[in-house]
Amino acid sequence: MSLSNLNVWDYVVNFIDILLVWFVIYKLLTIIRGTKAIQLLKGIFVIVIVKSLSNLFGFNTLGWLMAQVMNWGVLAILVIFQPELRRALEQLGRGKLFSRGTVPEENQQERLVEEILKASTYMAKRRIGALITIEKGTELGDYVETGIPLKSYISSELLINIFIPNTPLHDGAVILQNNQVAAAACYLPLSESPFISKELGTRHRAAIGMSEVTDSLTIVVSEETGGISVTKNGELYRDLDQESFRAMLTSELVVENIKTTSSGIWNWRGKKNG
């Protein structure tokens, strides 16, 4: 009887152990989803597959090369992702390892939408060029550091004032982070895609480039046409009217709408990339 109970207990412990491992893996994937680390995991997965195939088919040279990559890759990961690892340890110390951070209240996000809409509409009517990037899952700290730190309360008046021509901060992008104007005059990566329309300028190319390397939402106000465009996931949606622009901002930034539209399908009209 005791031996039977021991076997049952072992099964229960093993089952709980497996569940805990899967839970930890799931939470870690949730934390890194939408960050640069997810690309790293994809790369590691490819290297492991190539290493396994090399061993299977006897490709000794390729297998040795993959083994060196795996051996030295750990050190490279520690160096490249030092900020992320430090942040994870800080969260562990605060007991927030499995939290992606405090989610802003819905009314704050609705106010954010209204302020951005008001500022963009004002600048579009007066042909004032603007470039505004809103942080989502991927942290934009590297890009914030290229600009002038503000850490200011978000208001349409502040956004408009930043982009007034010939002012010190008007040249570059404004980055909104954690419901604040994190920095202005920031440099964004320019897209090198050959499919971008030649009539688009540096602001649009920078907005597309930003959307190619992060999951951020970037708003462009053209000083030539006064058109409002938005980039996301490498796609450019041009010359949106006020209703479509509001719908897009609400769908992307308001928590309730994000939960109810988890498929991520955009259901508004807009001209795509030229």
Side-chain angles (χ1 to χ4, degrees), residues 116-150:
I116 294 174
L117 181 65
K118 182 179 177 181
S120 301
T121 303
Y122 179 95
M123 292 186 287
K125 290 180 179 179
R126 291 158 180 80
R127 305 284 180 91
I128 299 174
L131 184 61
I132 304 171
T133 293
I134 307 167
E135 181 185 83
K136 295 183 67 180
T138 305
E139 293 191 359
L140 306 180
D142 293 341
Y143 303 102
V144 170
E145 292 176 358
T146 65
I148 307 300
L150 296 179

Side-chain angles (χ1 to χ4, degrees), residues 34-35 87 100-102 104 109 112 116 132-145 154 174-183 188 210 214-219 231-232 252-254 258:
T35 67
R87 191 158 43 245
R100 290 182 62 89
T102 303
Q109 293 175 304
L112 172 63
I116 294 174
I132 304 171
T133 293
I134 307 167
E135 181 185 83
K136 295 183 67 180
T138 305
E139 293 191 359
L140 306 180
D142 293 341
Y143 303 102
V144 170
E145 292 176 358
I154 296 175
V174 163
I175 295 180
L176 307 184
Q177 185 182 53
N178 299 325
N179 283 319
Q180 286 186 328
V181 180
L188 304 186
M210 193 66 167
T214 71
D215 67 344
S216 61
L217 197 71
T218 301
I219 300 160
T231 62
K232 181 179 182 294
E252 292 297 328
L253 301 179
V254 179
I258 292 176

Side-chain angles (χ1 to χ4, degrees), residues 78-90 139 142:
L78 292 176
V79 174
I80 296 173
F81 289 92
Q82 182 267 338
E84 285 79 5
L85 293 173
R86 182 180 62 187
R87 191 158 43 245
L89 291 176
E90 291 174 352
E139 293 191 359
D142 293 341

Side-chain angles (χ1 to χ4, degrees), residues 111 115-116 119 152-161 181:
R111 188 191 65 80
E115 296 298 326
I116 294 174
S152 305
Y153 181 82
I154 296 175
S155 69
S156 58
E157 292 80 7
L158 175 60
L159 294 175
I160 292 169
N161 193 65
V181 180

Side-chain angles (χ1 to χ4, degrees), residues 7-8 51 55 60 81 86 95 102 131 175 195 207 245-246:
N7 290 335
V8 172
K51 181 68 168 59
N55 294 337
N60 296 327
F81 289 92
R86 182 180 62 187
T102 303
L131 184 61
I175 295 180
F195 303 106
F245 184 42
R246 181 191 294 274

